[in-house]
Amino acid sequence: MDDGARIPQRRRLVTELPGPRSRELEHRRGRAVAQGVSSVLPVYVAEASGAILVDVDGNSLVDLGSGIAVVGVGHTAPRVVERASSQVARLTHSCFMVNPYEAYVAVCEELNELTPGSHEKRSALFNSGAEAVENAVKIARHATGRHAVVAFDHAYHGRTNLAMALTAKNMPYKDGFGPFASSIYRAPMSYPFRDPAGMTGDEAAARAIAVVESQVGARNLACVVVEPIQGEGGFVVPASGFLPALAAWCAEHGVLLVADEIQTGFARTGDWFACDDEGVVPDLVTTAKGIAGGLPLAGVTGRAEIMDAVHAGGIGGTYGGNPVACEAALGALTTMRELDLPAAARRVGAIVAGRLAALRSSSPSVGDARGRGAMQAIELVRPGTTEPDAAAARSVANRCHRDGVVVLTCGTYGNVVRLLPPLVIEESLLADALDVLVTAVGALDG
Ligand SMILES: *Cc1c(COP(=O)(O)O)cnc(C)c1O
């Protein structure tokens, strides 16, 4: 089969952005779609392939966001399209809880195989990342008989009530949406750029554990939920040693370690999962985003005895593990293996990290450049300080958007520009898009 892209992998603008058709649609949207649902750039997409989005005016944009880390295998990846379309003609839904089907079982087998650790595992499938996180907490509470849950500063775990309670940032995620789920506690994260200079991962873990021991008490604690590299919170890579020390403390106290690999998973960071980098083996892993090449699917995978502690019927949902989404996931996983996407992520990461490190050296507005694999970012600051500069991040992103390169911002302070390219992006296209970013950052310094 042909793994080539359907659409030329070239940036090409034929109108200003947004073009006239996009502006028309934006006008219609204003009268039909709730304002609470917003978009990064009002350029309406008609189709996409590989790392190129084609808008309704015929412009080709480079996608360095992958629909928020979803289409790691590329847009409309051939094996995803093939398996999902053939499934949609055979069976769209039966509800796994009514009549099961093979693809659900096959995806669980894959998750059990690929997630960190060689212990006996079980998985359950859901529709979204937030739902997976909620279920991981349900399972952890049920299995331990304890109620408290610890999450970190800068954490993002989704927008449902419990996930929102775990999420750290008020605006836009939580403002006015309380009251939130109870028994959630927050611990300080390892954030090397903002921690005291020279703080090690062990010291950062000890700082977090001290908060947990004094404010919660291990015997009340069901689980610690952590993103091994924080996504929405600013691509915060904890100091090495932080996660292993946290995992060791959890194991010693019968606290379950839940790794939220929803943004970091499926080859994005150069390993199958970000926990693999330091050999950390979580008790439960949540997955979503990159799992199914763009179809909605999520999973919770964990130690068999923990997952199987829940009584029959205790977890599930009407659509969780929908057969079309499961077939798409099987197609995406085949692509990840055939094209060795962990290696591709390392290659892409080396190219991006090189360009971002050069930016940090040359621009006083770039305080930090960090990431792992194809998950890289720059943190923008007022020149010569560590003071966050959200306006600079917006200005860089806006200029990239104007020139047809989709980048996303993130961070507790809104001052991080992040890159999440499809792992299959061609090197010449990536170089072109990075040139645009470098120019946009250069414009900050006048
Ligand atoms: C996106 C994300 C979620 C929420 O996933 P949804 O599918 O949007 O509900 C949870 N955790 C992390 C780390 C994420 O990046």
Side-chain angles (χ1 to χ4, degrees), residues 112-272:
N112 298 348
E113 167 72 30
L114 290 171
T115 51
S118 54
H119 50 280
E120 182 80 10
K121 295 174 205 152
R122 302 282 185 270
S123 292
L125 303 181
F126 304 96
N127 301 292
S128 70
E131 205 188 342
V133 170
E134 294 247 4
N135 277 280
V137 171
K138 280 171 68 172
I139 293 163
R141 284 176 167 159
H142 200 289
T144 58
R146 304 172 181 179
H147 62 89
V149 178
V150 162
F152 287 88
D153 286 334
H154 316 289
Y156 181 84
H157 297 291
R159 295 172 179 270
T160 54
N161 188 265
L162 176 67
M164 195 168 44
L166 292 168
T167 291
K169 188 176 177 178
N170 177 50
M171 238 359 218
Y173 308 124
K174 301 171 79 167
D175 194 57
F177 296 134
F180 304 108
S182 58
S183 280
I184 310 283
Y185 299 86
R186 198 161 305 284
M189 180 64 179
S190 167
Y191 190 159
F193 179 61
R194 298 195 173 277
D195 282 341
M199 182 178 244
T200 65
D202 275 328
E203 289 162 354
R207 176 179 65 180
I209 288 163
V211 170
V212 174
E213 285 182 335
S214 70
Q215 296 183 20
V216 190
R219 70 187 190 86
N220 301 306
L221 185 55
C223 60
V224 171
V225 184
V226 66
E227 298 157 88
I229 297 176
Q230 291 183 321
E232 305 306 306
F235 280 29
V236 178
V237 186
S240 67
F242 176 78
L243 292 172
L246 196 63
W249 180 85
C250 285
E252 192 185 326
H253 293 89
V255 173
L256 304 185
L257 181 67
V258 181
D260 182 347
E261 292 255 16
I262 288 168
Q263 192 152 160
T264 47
F266 299 103
R268 170 63 52 192
T269 62
D271 290 300
W272 280 102

Side-chain angles (χ1 to χ4, degrees), residues 35 90-91 105 113-114 193 201 248 259 281 300 313-314 333 405:
Q35 163 174 295
R90 287 197 312 274
L91 172 74
V105 178
E113 167 72 30
L114 290 171
F193 179 61
V281 178
V300 178
L333 288 163
V405 176

Side-chain angles (χ1 to χ4, degrees), residues 18-62:
R21 286 275 297 127
S22 274
R23 289 202 301 272
E24 245 173 71
L25 286 167
E26 189 65 0
H27 184 67
R28 247 171 82 191
R29 171 203 181 128
R31 286 169 301 167
V33 180
Q35 163 174 295
V37 186
S38 69
S39 300
V40 169
L41 68 162
V43 169
Y44 284 71
V45 178
E47 58 177 328
S49 168
I52 290 288
L53 297 162
V54 179
D55 78 0
V56 290
D57 291 290
N59 297 295
S60 291
L61 291 80
V62 188

